[in-house]
Amino acid sequence: MEVLDRLVSHIQIRPGQTVFEEGDEAKFVYNVSRGHVRLFKLLQDGRRQITGFLAPGDFLGLAARQTYAYSAEAITEADLCRFKVGELETLLEEMPQVRERLYEIANDELAAAQEQMLCLGRKTAKERVASFLISQLRHGAGCGDGDAEFDLPMSRSDIADYLGLTIETVSRTFTALREEGLIGLPTTHRISIPDITTLEASTEA
Amino acid sequence: MEVLDRLVSHIQIRPGQTVFEEGDEAKFVYNVSRGHVRLFKLLQDGRRQITGFLAPGDFLGLAARQTYAYSAEAITEADLCRFKVGELETLLEEMPQVRERLYEIANDELAAAQEQMLCLGRKTAKERVASFLISQLRHGAGCGDGDAEFDLPMSRSDIADYLGLTIETVSRTFTALREEGLIGLPTTHRISIPDITTLEASTEA
DNA sequence: TCGGTGCGTTGAGCGAGGTCAACGCACCTT
DNA sequence: AAGGTGCGTTGACCTCGCTCAACGCACCGA
C-alpha cells in the first residue's frame, strides 16, 4: 500500500459536494481518509436509493467499468485520496496480490448488498432501522457487547433513502425504539444502545 | 477455461433441490450448464428474499469466503459443473488473468445488486415487474428491438420473493400490464413484449 | 372417471407506511 | 432582537400493496 502513495493526490470536499456522478467516465479510484460519503442511484423523477455509506478507510469507484454505476457525495467534510485507474492497472500487473485484495473487497460489498436486498424486500420499517443501527455500530465504532454509543453522520433523509422508507417513518421508528428502551438518542445524530442483544432480536421475526 | 475441465465433476439436480445452503462451508464453486437456479436468503420466520436467478453459463459460490452467504436451489432440472475451491486457488496462481475475470464477474453482480436495491427501495409494483421482465429478456433471450418473446422459468412465488412483493400483487400486475397491451401472456410462463420501448418507459417515473 | 394437489387468478377488506401539513428548535444573518 | 432557513418530530388522513378467501385449471394417480 506504500507504493500507492507515489500515485496519489489528496482532495478535500465539503458537505453535500459531489465526488462523481453515475455515468461519468471512471477515471479515478478513491479512498476515504476522513469524513463520510454516500453512494446512490436516482430515478428520473428524483426518487433516490442510497446504496451505501462510506467511512474512513473505504474505497469508492472500484467498479472497473467504463463509467461509474452510481453517484457519490460527501455527507460531512471529507478528505479523499485519489489515483488514476490506469495507474492502478499498471500496479496490479506488478502486484497481483492487490487484485486479490480488490476481489475480496468486491465480494464483501456484494455480501452487504445482498443483505440490504433482504432488508429492502422483506423487512418491516422497525426491522430495517434496527438492522441499520447495528450495521452502523459494527462498521463504525467498536463492538463491545455491553453498552455502546456512536454517531450517525447522515441525515434522516439519507437514512430513509437507504432503507427505502420516508423521513417521517424513520423519525417515528426512532421514537418508537426509544420509547421501548431499545435505543437512546442523546442528540439527533447520536445513538446509544443499552443492550445490543435485544436490539439485534428486533432485526427480524 | 479448457484447463478447468480437468478439475470438474458434473452433477444433475431436480427442480426444487438444494445445491447448497447459506452458512454451509464453501468447498465448491459451480457453473450452470443447463437449467435455472435461484439464490436466496431467509429470515427465521420464513420470509424469503431471492437475490438472483441464474441461467446457463452463470457461476455460483464464487464468494471466496469460508461459508456461502446465500442458499441455492434448482428451479428447473439443471446440470452443474462443480470444482473444489482449493483447486481454483491453485489455478489462479498459474493463471492470474482468471482472477481478473472473476473480479469482473463480481463487479457485474455488484452492479446488478445495486440496481435491484433501487428497485426494491424506490419503485412501485408495476415498475418492479416491468424492470424484471426487461432484465430477464436481456439476460436470457436475445434483445432484438422489435417484437420479443421468452420463457419465465420461475414461479410467481419466486418472482414475488425477488421483487419484494406478494404472489397476488405479481399476478395482478401481470394482468394489468397485459390489459394495457404492454405485454402478452401466451402461457403463464411465457412473455411476449410487443414494444420494448413502451415497456421500458414504465420501469420508472 | 373421480378426487386430490399445486399453481395462478381474482375479489373484498385491511393496515403499514406514505402524504400532507403544522410545529419546534438550533443556527444563521442583519 | 427579529426574521429566515434547514432539519427533525408529530398528527391526521389516505393509499398501495398485503391478507384472507374463493375459485379455475392443468396434471396426476387410483
Side-chain angles (χ1 to χ4, degrees):
Chain A
M1 279 295 150
E2 313 82 48
V3 187
L4 283 178
D5 283 338
R6 288 191 280 109
L7 311 170
V8 143
S9 68
H10 294 265
I11 63 172
Q12 234 185 73
I13 50 177
R14 325 230 74 225
Q17 200 179 325
T18 299
V19 182
F20 54 75
E21 293 192 342
E22 180 176 352
D24 282 358
E25 199 189 335
K27 291 179 180 168
F28 299 102
V29 172
Y30 302 82
N31 186 273
V32 181
S33 45
R34 189 178 63 99
H36 291 261
V37 173
R38 60 178 167 249
L39 309 181
F40 61 95
K41 293 170 81 81
L42 293 174
L43 295 175
Q44 282 162 355
D45 64 0
R47 280 174 288 172
R48 181 178 69 157
Q49 179 64 40
I50 291 184
T51 55
F53 294 111
L54 302 186
D58 293 334
F59 284 91
L60 61 159
L62 277 179
R65 332 188 101 255
Q66 283 296 316
T67 60
Y68 297 116
Y70 47 78
S71 305
E73 285 175 1
I75 291 173
T76 59
E77 191 157 308
D79 298 341
L80 304 179
C81 299
R82 184 177 83 172
F83 43 99
K84 292 209 178 82
V85 284
E87 290 173 351
L88 176 65
E89 287 301 325
T90 311
L91 178 72
L92 286 173
E93 304 205 350
E94 293 165 26
M95 307 177 70
Q97 73 272 28
V98 175
R99 169 134 8 231
E100 191 171 346
R101 182 76 194 103
L102 292 185
Y103 182 62
E104 281 174 30
I105 291 173
N107 273 302
D108 288 347
E109 286 183 35
L110 188 55
Q114 286 162 349
E115 192 65 39
Q116 188 64 3
M117 284 165 66
L118 177 61
C119 215
L120 293 169
R122 286 299 176 224
K123 290 190 183 179
T124 65
K126 187 180 166 187
E127 290 165 350
R128 292 184 209 192
V129 171
S131 303
F132 168 69
L133 291 177
I134 285 183
S135 73
Q136 281 294 304
L137 171 63
R138 299 221 192 289
H139 191 238
C143 5
D145 276 324
D147 197 342
E149 198 173 316
F150 61 98
D151 283 315
L152 282 184
M154 67 292 289
S155 69
R156 296 292 189 266
S157 169
D158 287 338
I159 298 171
D161 284 350
Y162 181 63
L163 297 177
L165 302 170
T166 59
I167 300 172
E168 295 92 328
T169 298
V170 170
S171 182
R172 280 188 256 267
T173 307
F174 273 125
T175 303
L177 290 174
R178 179 173 48 73
E179 285 173 352
E180 289 178 52
L182 290 170
I183 62 168
L185 288 163
T187 75
T188 49
H189 288 275
R190 195 160 177 81
I191 300 284
S192 73
I193 301 178
D195 180 17
I196 295 172
T197 313
T198 53
L199 185 61
E200 209 147 31
S202 20
T203 61
E204 59 177 293
Chain B
M1 279 296 149
E2 312 82 48
V3 187
L4 281 179
D5 283 339
R6 287 190 282 109
L7 311 171
V8 143
S9 68
H10 294 266
I11 63 170
Q12 235 186 70
I13 50 177
R14 325 231 75 226
Q17 200 180 325
T18 299
V19 182
F20 54 75
E21 292 194 342
E22 179 175 355
D24 283 358
E25 197 189 337
K27 290 179 181 169
F28 299 103
V29 172
Y30 301 83
N31 187 273
V32 181
S33 45
R34 187 178 64 99
H36 292 260
V37 173
R38 58 178 168 249
L39 309 181
F40 60 96
K41 293 170 80 82
L42 293 173
L43 294 175
Q44 281 163 357
D45 64 359
R47 280 174 289 173
R48 181 178 69 158
Q49 179 64 41
I50 291 184
T51 56
F53 295 111
L54 302 185
D58 293 333
F59 284 92
L60 61 160
L62 278 178
R65 333 189 100 254
Q66 284 295 317
T67 59
Y68 297 116
Y70 47 79
S71 306
E73 285 174 2
I75 291 175
T76 60
E77 190 156 309
D79 297 341
L80 304 179
C81 300
R82 184 177 85 173
F83 43 98
K84 292 209 178 82
V85 282
E87 289 173 351
L88 176 65
E89 287 302 325
T90 311
L91 179 71
L92 285 173
E93 303 205 349
E94 293 165 27
M95 306 175 71
Q97 73 273 27
V98 174
R99 165 121 28 220
E100 190 172 347
R101 182 73 194 106
L102 292 185
Y103 183 62
E104 281 173 29
I105 291 172
N107 273 302
D108 289 346
E109 285 184 34
L110 188 55
Q114 286 162 348
E115 192 64 39
Q116 188 63 3
M117 284 165 67
L118 177 62
C119 216
L120 293 169
R122 287 299 177 222
K123 289 190 183 180
T124 64
K126 187 180 166 186
E127 289 165 349
R128 293 184 208 192
V129 171
S131 303
F132 168 70
L133 291 177
I134 286 183
S135 74
Q136 281 293 303
L137 172 63
R138 299 220 192 290
H139 190 238
C143 6
D145 276 322
D147 197 341
E149 199 173 314
F150 61 98
D151 284 315
L152 282 184
M154 68 292 289
S155 68
R156 296 293 189 264
S157 169
D158 287 338
I159 298 171
D161 284 349
Y162 180 63
L163 297 177
L165 302 170
T166 59
I167 301 173
E168 294 93 327
T169 298
V170 170
S171 182
R172 279 187 256 268
T173 307
F174 273 125
T175 304
L177 289 173
R178 180 173 48 75
E179 285 173 352
E180 289 177 53
L182 290 170
I183 63 169
L185 288 163
T187 75
T188 50
H189 288 275
R190 195 161 177 81
I191 300 284
S192 72
I193 301 179
D195 179 15
I196 295 172
T197 313
T198 52
L199 185 61
E200 209 147 31
S202 25
T203 61
E204 60 178 293

